[in-house]
Amino acid sequence: MIAMSGIQQKLDRYPFLVYLPVILTGMIMISLGWRKWPDILIDFGRELYVPWQLSEGKVLYRDIAYFRGPFSAYFNAFLFRVFSPGVITLAAANFLLAMSLFFGIDRIFRKAYGRLAAFIAGMSFVSVFAFSQYVKVGNYNFLSPYSHELTHGIIFSVLLIYVYSVYLDRKKDALWAVIGLIYGIVALTKLEVTIALTPAVLLGLVGAAYRVKMGVPGILKISGYLVIGAAVPMVLFSLYLSRYMPLSTAVPWIFFQFAQALNPNMVDLVFYMKVAGRDDVPGNLMVMMKCLGAYAGILAFFGAGTYALKKTEPGARTLVTAAAAIIAAGMAFFLAGKYWAYSLRPMALVLGVYSVSIAARAARVSRNGGDIKKELIILVFSVFACFLLIKIVLNTNLYHYGFALAMPGFLVMTAILAAEVPTLAGRYAGAFFEARVWVVAFLAALLFQFAVSGSRYYGIKDYTVGSGGDAVVTYSAKMSSKGYWLGQFIKFHGYLMPEKATVTVFPEGIMLNYMTRKVNPTGHIDFIPPEVIMFSEEVMLSTLKEKSPDYAVIMDRNTKEYGSEYFGRDYAKELGSWIDKNYTDIFVFGKTPLKGKGFGILVKKRNDIPDDASSLNKRGELYVISGNGAEALSLFSAAIKLDPSYGKTYYNSGYAYYKAKDYAKAVENFRKAIEIDPGDLKAEKGLRAAEKAASLKNV
């Protein structure tokens, strides 16, 4: 106890010391996952392409079909305009935002639960959620999220709750305008965050009024501030977009995602049913009950330990405490190691019960004349965390969408253990300190095990795609051929299309557009089942006909998670048929896509774009590089017919014949290249090599 008192005194004198373990943990997690956070094909390409296009002058909803709020896209576009487009630009900005979220969590939890619970909550965010990857697909972290609208929405929601806590301290009614402003920004991000924040804000308003026995005029006043503040960002974005489209068009697009939440074709997609756990309600409820049993066992262990301490001699308390701490850590290792994927299933139920108990506690404290400020902060945060789980309510986890949706709830559950459980132990058994030791041991082991699980995939990523600020490290070809073939496309696409060519990728793969800086003229980012449902195949096809890209790229993507496997075969058949009729295959990287035979990228050229000698020659060069000499020679022959004076084609033909060991034709073509361009040193060198090879062959 004396040692703990000394530590407490040092923390009071140097409060920044409490952040050192968190900073060290964050540095380790970032170094393990350096440039490995995004997925190279799924989702994150959109997070790069859209702001890049907006920074170039395109307008959201008019030029780009978008189904989320406008705030994040324009925020990232601002970053690209100021600092230049780049994966690292977003990662750096997201790191700063994640740190601001950490400090917001720290301040809120200090006010609500105290220093220890705040430290554990902050450490939980950094070690479990901010920088981790629990599944093969990347993007489920705060540095390269699959949706910036989700992470931005949560960051601003935590900021709102912090401002609310400041209001409870200062009682300045004007702060409700700030709360409203932040709420309005959140409403322009992602639907599920807005749905979660709304009851939290309303409950916070009612609670604040109840706390000071505010009359109707006072309630109307702060409600007015809230509504006016919330309207500001919505009005500003509506006015901005109205410069480029009618206001009656702009406003529905801003809130398009709210309408889609009521679209039964979207809600009942197999993917979203599985995400929510609605695909197997009885089974998921059974898992939830089993997890609740495990939770009860953990609490029973703490209760039994507390009871044992009451009957333990003072001299033996230290030994009992240490033994119980070791057992608690072992339980955490077992739980997080074997059942980590299921361990959070009952979170929504736990948070719901906890929120009701906090509301009851607030009512009791208020009746006794006490201040309910702390209870209100806890209640608002817990309600927000509980409603944030709606999308994954029966399938709550810390991976996939859970990296963001389950994060606030997980922090509340750690606070229950770190603050509420020791308080009860101290009240009923005088074992506050001992219970804290057990809880800290349990949570330390739990967080360590989760952190290890969350960094495991980073250890098998070692292949770099892209360069400079856009470099991303992904799986090697031994693990997955996707990164390799994407890298090959980026490296060699210039052999297939001119610099200013327009490209649309089907059904998904806008990352190719971003990495090669090729514009998609259709404005449709993806052509997978959710987007086809939201925007309709008819509209997509009409847009494709009106704004046909120069090149159509078919990316292998099995979308069976949505209930339909392949684009053009199982869904979007009219789109696929129109592409096949109006575009011609010119090259394939890897396997032919959408055949179930492996990953590949097929490049198709629009039929009405004529070939010239230069384009045929370049394409032939790529076939030589890929080892298909016969196709290369066919293209070189076609190029020569179009322009017999194009010397490069003769050199390339000579080289292709040389590789095919047809030295006589190699000599013939090298000589023709020199005849057209007497200064062609490469052709002279090729001619000498071909003549030498021919002479040796004839010996």
Side-chain angles (χ1 to χ4, degrees), residues 156 160 175-188 225-234 236:
F156 276 99
L160 183 150
L175 284 172
W176 280 98
V178 179
I179 292 172
L181 179 68
I182 299 171
Y183 177 84
I185 292 173
V186 172
L188 299 176
Y225 278 128
L226 177 66
V227 171
I228 292 171
V232 170
M234 301 179 193
L236 289 177

Side-chain angles (χ1 to χ4, degrees), residues 13-90:
R13 183 177 299 179
Y14 307 108
F16 65 88
L17 290 176
V18 77
Y19 299 123
L20 290 181
V22 180
I23 293 170
L24 179 61
T25 301
M27 291 173 63
I28 292 172
M29 296 298 293
I30 289 173
S31 64
L32 289 173
W34 184 249
R35 291 186 181 272
K36 300 176 183 180
W37 312 293
D39 190 271
I40 55 169
L41 293 178
I42 297 174
D43 289 333
F44 197 67
R46 176 190 62 240
E47 302 302 299
L48 294 162
Y49 179 82
V50 171
W52 167 54
Q53 285 294 283
L54 297 183
S55 71
E56 294 287 320
K58 295 290 179 66
V59 178
L60 203 64
Y61 308 124
R62 184 194 68 178
D63 303 314
I64 299 173
Y66 207 63
F67 55 90
R68 293 179 181 140
F71 175 82
S72 297
Y74 276 101
F75 178 83
N76 289 339
F78 170 77
L79 294 175
F80 279 5
R81 188 179 288 269
V82 173
F83 300 105
S84 80
V87 173
I88 202 67
T89 299
L90 285 189

Side-chain angles (χ1 to χ4, degrees), residues 484-594:
Y484 174 77
W485 288 120
L486 176 60
Q488 293 297 293
F489 179 91
I490 294 169
K491 183 178 180 180
F492 294 113
H493 73 278
Y495 287 85
L496 300 173
M497 57 190 72
E499 183 179 353
K500 298 297 182 182
T502 58
V503 176
T504 300
V505 183
F506 302 88
E508 184 177 27
I510 199 72
M511 180 69 89
L512 269 69
N513 291 81
Y514 173 77
M515 286 290 194
T516 59
R517 298 303 193 268
K518 293 289 189 288
V519 174
N520 170 7
T522 71
H524 289 285
I525 305 300
D526 296 319
F527 297 82
I528 57 178
E531 279 74 5
V532 173
I533 290 171
M534 283 189 287
F535 299 109
S536 87
E537 183 177 3
E538 183 181 355
V539 170
M540 285 180 158
L541 182 57
S542 175
T543 305
L544 184 60
K545 290 177 178 179
E546 180 185 350
K547 302 175 181 179
S548 303
D550 300 329
Y551 295 83
V553 173
I554 310 300
M555 177 89 71
D556 190 70
R557 173 76 161 93
N558 188 325
T559 54
K560 61 183 178 182
E561 70 267 30
Y562 297 108
S564 302
E565 289 195 64
Y566 290 114
F567 172 88
R569 188 194 77 179
D570 303 312
Y571 70 96
K573 295 178 183 179
E574 291 185 35
L575 279 168
S577 176
W578 190 87
I579 294 167
D580 288 340
K581 289 178 182 177
N582 291 275
Y583 289 80
T584 301
D585 301 354
I586 60 172
F587 195 83
V588 62
F589 294 88
K591 304 290 186 180
T592 302
L594 308 182

Side-chain angles (χ1 to χ4, degrees), residues 205-520:
L205 189 148
V206 172
Y210 175 76
R211 179 192 179 210
V212 297
K213 305 300 186 287
M214 188 181 295
V216 173
I219 295 174
L220 291 176
K221 180 182 178 182
I222 63 175
S223 299
Y225 278 128
L226 177 66
V227 171
I228 292 171
V232 170
M234 301 179 193
V235 170
L236 289 177
F237 264 105
S238 297
L239 291 176
Y240 167 76
L241 292 172
S242 69
R243 297 168 57 192
Y244 306 100
M245 63 187 82
L247 192 63
S248 59
T249 301
V251 173
W253 273 118
I254 289 175
F255 299 104
F256 178 71
Q257 60 178 328
F258 291 85
Q260 291 306 307
L262 303 175
N263 184 342
N265 293 325
M266 281 290 292
V267 175
D268 292 335
L269 271 176
V270 174
F271 176 78
Y272 294 113
M273 291 185 69
K274 187 172 182 179
V275 164
R278 292 186 293 119
D279 62 322
D280 181 14
V281 174
N284 286 317
L285 286 174
M286 181 60 68
V287 172
M288 185 183 292
M289 292 303 106
K290 289 180 179 179
C291 289
L292 279 174
Y295 288 7
I298 293 168
L299 292 177
F301 167 77
F302 287 128
T306 302
Y307 179 77
L309 283 175
K310 290 180 67 174
K311 298 182 176 296
T312 302
E313 295 295 327
R317 287 175 73 96
T318 301
L319 182 61
V320 172
T321 300
I326 293 172
I327 295 172
M331 290 169 59
F333 271 116
F334 177 76
L335 178 67
K338 189 171 183 179
Y339 299 108
W340 70 274
Y342 311 102
S343 57
L344 302 184
R345 287 290 177 90
M347 183 183 286
L349 181 59
V350 171
L351 292 175
V353 172
Y354 182 61
S355 298
V356 171
S357 71
I358 293 298
R361 183 198 300 177
R364 185 173 62 253
V365 170
S366 180
R367 283 196 304 269
N368 293 332
D371 189 359
I372 60 172
K373 178 180 70 175
K374 185 173 79 169
E375 284 75 17
L376 286 177
I377 296 171
I378 295 173
L379 185 59
V380 168
F381 196 96
S382 298
V383 167
F384 168 67
C386 185
F387 277 86
L388 197 59
L389 296 172
I390 289 175
K391 189 172 183 176
I392 55 174
V393 62
L394 295 178
N395 188 25
T396 302
N397 51 66
L398 54 79
Y399 59 92
H400 203 235
Y401 295 153
F403 87 96
L405 299 180
M407 183 271 293
F410 186 89
L411 304 188
V412 173
M413 290 174 69
T414 65
I416 293 172
L417 286 176
E420 305 283 11
V421 170
T423 298
L424 290 173
R427 181 181 303 163
Y428 294 108
F432 177 82
F433 171 77
E434 291 83 355
R436 270 200 162 185
V437 171
W438 303 337
V439 166
V440 168
F442 178 83
L443 290 175
L446 190 76
L447 299 186
F448 176 80
Q449 188 76 311
F450 279 150
V452 170
S453 298
S455 58
R456 192 168 290 135
Y457 279 99
Y458 293 146
I460 56 175
K461 289 184 175 183
D462 56 9
Y463 183 79
T464 301
V465 174
S467 60
D470 285 326
V472 174
V473 181
T474 187
Y475 305 103
S476 65
K478 292 181 180 179
M479 290 292 299
S480 171
S481 62
K482 293 178 182 179
Y484 174 77
W485 288 120
L486 176 60
Q488 293 297 293
F489 179 91
I490 294 169
K491 183 178 180 180
F492 294 113
H493 73 278
Y495 287 85
L496 300 173
M497 57 190 72
E499 183 179 353
K500 298 297 182 182
T502 58
V503 176
T504 300
V505 183
F506 302 88
E508 184 177 27
I510 199 72
M511 180 69 89
L512 269 69
N513 291 81
Y514 173 77
M515 286 290 194
T516 59
R517 298 303 193 268
K518 293 289 189 288
V519 174
N520 170 7

